[in-house]
Amino acid sequence: MVEGEQAMTLLLPRNILGFEIPSDSRVFLTVLSFHVLAALGSVVTGIIAMLSPKRSGRHPKFGTIYYWCLTVVFMSATVLAAMRWSDDAYLFSLGAASFSAATVGRAARRGQWRGWVPIHISGMGLSYTVMLIAFYMDNGRNLPVWKGLPSATYWLIPSAVGVPLIVRAVVRYRNLAQGN
């Protein structure tokens, strides 16, 4: 520092609403802001797409928004993980798995692959489930109900809910397709 200059320090909270912020780097915080907003968008639009009738209109509209929000989540997670690789490499892996599953599910639908519906359901459902696993793995220890649970439950609970719902949706589709 040049003599006479004062160091400008940015004093930011290291804990926001119970969530520990692991860095006060402006780049980190900016990327984290986009990440959180895109993740919230993914959660909301994913639910709307899941609960909407499977026909033109709401389902594909919100499914597309979900996919692009998830794209931002994965891109920002990649940057955040790279900045803290030793602590967050597993989050990059989960983000890659979630984004890959969504990409396969979306490609099956858009390309009308043979037998595309179960692939679409499985890919999109798995992407949502893995996204929630990543959230709980990173934040579960800060959440009121979750912080008392063993870390294995951060994987098990979203899987125990998500996988049966995916299987149910695929079986339901197959029954409808067979006229049952």
Side-chain angles (χ1 to χ4, degrees):
M1 184 173 358
V2 177
E3 192 176 329
E5 286 184 22
Q6 292 183 352
M8 293 203 42
T9 357
L10 183 60
L11 298 175
L12 297 169
R14 295 298 296 241
N15 187 305
I16 299 174
L17 299 174
F19 292 91
E20 181 184 331
I21 309 301
S23 173
D24 60 0
S25 156
R26 288 182 186 194
V27 172
F28 183 90
L29 295 171
T30 300
V31 174
L32 182 63
S33 298
F34 282 104
H35 181 77
V36 169
L37 290 173
L40 289 171
S42 294
V43 169
V44 171
T45 58
I47 291 275
I48 293 170
M50 281 185 256
L51 298 177
S52 296
K54 308 311 181 248
R55 58 177 180 249
S56 61
R58 182 181 286 181
H59 177 75
K61 176 183 176 182
F62 283 95
T64 298
I65 297 168
Y66 166 76
Y67 180 78
W68 291 111
C69 284
L70 187 64
T71 301
V72 174
V73 170
F74 175 56
M75 289 173 18
S76 58
T78 299
V79 172
L80 294 169
M83 294 178 79
R84 297 175 22 88
W85 190 255
S86 62
D87 294 317
D88 293 341
Y90 74 97
L91 292 171
F92 169 78
S93 298
L94 289 169
S98 177
F99 181 68
S100 296
T103 298
V104 169
R106 187 171 194 261
R109 167 60 182 102
R110 292 174 64 88
Q112 298 286 302
W113 297 353
R114 182 180 177 152
W116 69 267
V117 174
I119 298 168
H120 176 71
I121 293 168
S122 299
M124 299 310 278
L126 187 59
S127 76
Y128 196 88
T129 302
V130 173
M131 177 183 65
L132 291 179
I133 290 170
F135 171 77
Y136 290 122
M137 289 296 295
D138 193 38
N139 299 294
R141 67 186 181 281
N142 299 313
L143 299 172
V145 173
W146 292 79
K147 68 181 169 187
L149 300 174
S151 61
T153 58
Y154 303 157
W155 286 83
L156 293 174
I157 292 174
S159 298
V161 173
V163 172
L165 289 174
I166 294 166
V167 170
R168 179 178 172 260
V170 169
V171 168
R172 185 173 176 215
Y173 163 74
R174 289 210 167 120
N175 288 340
L176 289 172
Q178 295 171 355
N180 295 336

